[in-house]
Amino acid sequence: MKKFLLLGLFSLITSNIYAQEDNNDYETKPGERYGYIIDKGGKKIEGVVHLNGGYSSPWQNQLKVKFIAVSDIDKSKKRMKFKTYDADEIKEYMLYDGDTERHFESVKYTNTRESLNSSESSTGLGAGFKALNNLTRTSQFAELVTDGKIKVFKIYGYPTAFSAGSTRAITQQETDRLMNNPYYIYSKRGAKAEDLTPAKVKMIVADCPYTKAKVTKGEYGSLKNEEKKRTGLGKFIKNEIDNATVDKLSIVNEVIYDYNENCK
């Protein structure tokens, strides 16, 4: 019912905006979507969300978001004055991408895996900058992949050129790798966000007889290709890097889905 009321409100606003556009009194920009924010006090404020990042720079959406409340929209002006929030200032933001709701929640998480990847794939000052970018980002907006008792989020690594004052341009190769290899993290019943790995999945679903039995019997295909064990510090680091290539989304859609649907 709340969703229908929200959509009804947005439809009314949209009609007014389109009417303004016909008179050249209102101007929209790419990246603006209707949605809401949840402030630190838990209050939902409806309005217009403007994403900082696009398809080729999704990591930008993890640091800040621009928003204007419905009550602050001045339909007599062509441009709206957005306020910028970072992940320490609000709990969540949501926007409609077509008929799909995209939720971004503020989480405390340090991407040590991408820092290891930086050291492995780069050398010299560039590797240091990139590792620093990922190690110093703690409060971030992570996009919600699945909701429930176990929440799973998608998060991207930051490129070398993202450091303050850097004049280095991000390469297409680096862009493609970051775009196509998001990291998945989880939070169980509101606990601290952690990396989602096959080994951890087995532990976090073990308190439910239903999922524990299926894991024990080997009924989850997404867990059958778990990487082989390695020994030694060097092999441990390499194992951590390789873990990023595991098909986490299949684990989410199969194991985490089962837990959220069947366990108390």
Side-chain angles (χ1 to χ4, degrees):
M1 176 62 72
K2 290 182 179 179
K3 182 174 180 180
F4 286 121
L5 291 174
L6 183 62
L7 287 172
L9 174 63
F10 287 162
S11 296
L12 179 59
I13 298 170
T14 305
S15 297
N16 289 335
I17 289 176
Y18 284 155
Q20 295 288 341
E21 285 183 328
D22 290 339
N23 295 322
N24 296 318
D25 291 332
Y26 184 83
E27 183 177 317
T28 58
K29 293 181 180 179
E32 293 180 0
R33 300 287 187 275
Y34 291 105
Y36 60 75
I37 63 170
I38 303 291
D39 68 15
K40 281 295 187 180
K43 180 181 178 181
K44 181 168 75 171
I45 305 171
E46 297 167 356
V48 178
V49 174
H50 186 118
L51 289 176
N52 269 350
Y55 172 76
S56 60
S57 57
W59 47 84
Q60 296 272 9
N61 298 324
Q62 296 167 185
L63 296 180
K64 298 181 182 295
V65 65
K66 295 178 180 179
F67 177 79
I68 183 170
V70 169
S71 58
D72 293 331
I73 295 175
D74 185 346
K75 291 189 284 290
S76 67
K77 296 182 179 180
K78 290 185 177 182
R79 297 179 183 274
M80 294 186 288
K81 187 175 181 180
F82 286 79
K83 183 176 180 179
T84 301
Y85 296 91
D86 63 32
D88 288 322
E89 295 179 298
I90 60 174
K91 290 184 175 181
E92 176 185 348
Y93 69 89
M94 187 283 290
L95 64 143
Y96 285 99
D97 191 352
D99 293 329
T100 302
E101 292 185 11
R102 295 180 64 188
H103 293 257
F104 292 78
E105 295 188 17
S106 176
V107 299
K108 296 284 188 181
Y109 175 74
T110 300
N111 197 341
T112 54
R113 288 186 182 277
E114 180 58 32
S115 300
L116 290 172
N117 242 334
S118 303
S119 300
E120 181 77 7
S121 60
S122 305
T123 58
L125 189 60
F129 271 133
K130 192 170 182 185
L132 186 63
N133 289 340
N134 290 281
L135 286 174
T136 55
R137 313 289 180 181
T138 51
S139 293
Q140 307 179 60
F141 289 117
E143 185 165 9
L144 185 66
V145 175
T146 189
D147 201 358
K149 303 166 192 71
I150 299 176
K151 288 186 174 184
V152 178
F153 303 91
K154 178 171 60 175
I155 201 162
Y156 294 86
Y158 297 99
T160 312
F162 207 66
S163 58
S166 174
T167 58
R168 176 188 178 276
I170 180 173
T171 64
Q172 188 61 49
Q173 181 181 9
E174 187 177 17
T175 298
D176 291 342
R177 187 187 67 78
L178 292 172
M179 285 170 49
N180 297 321
N181 295 281
Y183 294 84
Y184 291 89
I185 59 178
Y186 77 94
S187 173
K188 184 176 180 181
R189 303 180 190 276
K192 181 181 177 182
E194 299 182 33
D195 293 314
L196 184 70
T197 68
K200 284 185 179 178
V201 167
K202 292 180 179 180
M203 290 189 291
I204 64 178
V205 302
D207 62 341
C208 173
Y210 181 84
T211 49
K212 182 179 180 179
K214 294 186 73 171
V215 168
T216 302
K217 295 176 182 177
E219 295 181 8
Y220 290 120
S222 57
L223 294 178
K224 288 183 179 179
N225 295 321
E226 183 178 351
E227 58 270 38
K228 295 179 180 179
K229 303 296 181 182
R230 296 182 174 93
T231 58
L233 180 59
K235 291 182 179 180
F236 168 76
I237 293 175
K238 187 65 168 66
N239 183 51
E240 287 296 292
I241 295 170
D242 289 345
N243 185 66
T245 65
V246 174
D247 187 0
K248 307 287 181 61
L249 195 54
S250 292
I251 293 175
V252 172
N253 291 335
E254 190 177 29
V255 189
I256 304 301
Y257 174 84
D258 252 8
Y259 185 95
N260 286 336
E261 289 294 312
N262 298 286
C263 305
K264 295 181 179 181

